[in-house]
Amino acid sequence: MKTLNRDLQEAPKMYETENDIPQTGRAELNKLMNQRLADAVDLQSQMKQAHWNVKGPHFIGLHELFDRVDEAIESYVDMIAERIVQLGGIAEGTARVAASRSRLEEYPLDIADGAAHVEAVARALSTFGRNARNTINEADELDDADTADLFTEVSRGIDKWLWFVEAHTQAPK
Ligand SMILES: [Fe+2]
């Protein structure tokens, strides 16, 4: 049986394109963005996990908020995947690849109350946000202002959702 190599390849397959970013830069960007794509696919499924399983007195607010975060992350997944392809790469965004590559912690499956989900969601958003911010700098170093701009938009969005989630815990007692 053929085994899928889920590691990020040193020299990923690239398509020819008239895009003027040099091929070596596009290959580096491809690897960088496929790592973020795996994280984002994982993050999106974690938001649904929270949306489905949260319970407690703040149920409806958190249930609906986690669904909105999921929708936002779905759009980031699409933006990242499509930029990979625009630069001649292959977007590797299946659940299996995401599971093997994601740098996020495993989402706890046995939690129920709102505070526990708020904490778990905030941690996942924060981890992804940090990596997205690092990707801005890495894309800058590869002279790709457009990918840097994409991750600026993504990380700014993640910061907003982190605020929406963490605000549930920040009121003075
Ligand atoms: Fe739903």
Side-chain angles (χ1 to χ4, degrees), residues 75-146:
S75 75
Y76 306 152
V77 164
D78 207 47
M79 285 161 56
I80 296 166
E82 290 181 355
R83 178 131 188 99
I84 291 168
V85 178
Q86 287 157 25
L87 297 191
I90 295 173
E92 298 171 340
T94 63
R96 292 185 194 204
V97 169
S100 70
R101 274 186 201 156
S102 174
R103 302 225 172 122
L104 304 188
E105 285 178 38
E106 182 74 65
Y107 196 85
L109 301 181
D110 56 352
I111 58 175
D113 73 283
H117 278 289
V118 162
E119 189 184 332
V121 165
R123 192 178 320 118
L125 289 170
S126 160
T127 302
F128 183 79
R130 182 181 63 233
N131 291 336
R133 233 184 295 287
N134 288 339
T135 304
I136 301 170
N137 298 332
E138 289 164 324
D140 258 342
E141 284 165 16
L142 291 164
D143 295 326
D144 182 0
D146 301 303

Side-chain angles (χ1 to χ4, degrees), residues 150-163:
L150 189 158
F151 281 91
T152 303
E153 180 178 344
V154 168
S155 65
R156 189 173 59 238
I158 293 289
D159 283 353
K160 184 188 86 170
W161 294 114
L162 181 57
W163 164 46

Side-chain angles (χ1 to χ4, degrees), residues 48 51-52 63 67:
K48 276 294 192 194
H51 165 73
W52 294 323
H63 174 71
D67 212 23

